[in-house]
Amino acid sequence: MMKLKLCCALVLLSSTVIAADPRMPEQMLRGKNSQYQDGFRDGFREAVRMMNGGSHGNNGNKNREIRISRATYGASRGSCDFTQRLARSANGRTAYEFKAGNQWCGDPADGRKKTAKIEYFCRGDLKKIEVREGRSETLRCR
């Protein structure tokens, strides 16, 4: 019974610490491949968001949050959908620095110039951007 109480106390304490200080534990990423690191970061951000009641720290102003609607990457002869992955990273923010490249879903059109096409909502308006491979663009909702 004492072990159970101690375990419960540690869980409650650790969730309070993470919610109060949501810094990424970088030491847990050392030596891991980039896919592992991306997944860990996505999971960590989601865990912190959930422990903070689902808030993204923007004082509840939902109108100023990015909401990804669709995201594809590729060329005319091959593309992939990375909507969910981008949504996990960008949704709920007022700005998100996006870089188009194979890191999102591999190389869907080997040897061809690719473009990321992103649709997102901001203040109820649908915004569309296209970003060529290797280039960066900031998604904004202010």
Side-chain angles (χ1 to χ4, degrees):
M1 186 65 163
M2 182 63 171
K3 285 183 181 180
L4 179 60
K5 287 181 181 179
L6 181 60
C7 182
C8 289
L10 287 173
V11 168
L12 289 172
L13 180 62
S14 67
S15 67
T16 303
V17 170
I18 291 174
D21 185 18
R23 288 181 290 194
M24 182 74 59
E26 296 295 329
Q27 71 276 10
M28 296 183 79
L29 300 176
R30 289 191 192 114
K32 306 294 184 187
N33 68 37
S34 64
Q35 272 186 316
Y36 176 92
Q37 290 179 2
D38 289 343
F40 184 91
R41 285 187 181 102
D42 289 346
F44 185 84
R45 283 188 201 108
E46 183 66 11
V48 169
R49 186 187 67 78
M50 290 173 70
M51 284 190 287
N52 286 326
S55 169
H56 284 277
N58 64 356
N59 299 324
N61 191 348
K62 300 287 184 190
N63 290 332
R64 297 177 70 188
E65 291 183 350
I66 293 170
R67 290 284 164 216
I68 301 297
S69 173
R70 183 163 169 74
T72 59
Y73 175 70
S76 61
R77 293 194 181 185
S79 65
C80 61
D81 186 309
F82 66 101
T83 303
Q84 290 181 352
R85 188 163 179 204
L86 181 59
R88 283 193 305 268
S89 298
N91 280 0
R93 297 173 180 238
T94 58
Y96 180 78
E97 182 70 26
F98 171 80
K99 182 172 183 183
N102 296 338
Q103 72 274 14
W104 289 102
C105 51
D107 190 345
D110 191 30
R112 300 189 185 280
K113 293 182 181 178
K114 292 166 278 297
T115 301
K117 296 178 181 180
I118 302 169
E119 298 177 6
Y120 67 99
F121 286 95
C122 172
R123 296 183 178 218
D125 295 327
L126 181 64
K127 297 184 178 275
K128 298 179 182 185
I129 65 166
E130 292 188 11
V131 185
R132 290 181 18 199
E133 182 177 17
R135 301 265 172 108
S136 295
E137 186 75 37
T138 302
L139 309 180
R140 296 188 193 283
C141 186
R142 295 187 183 189

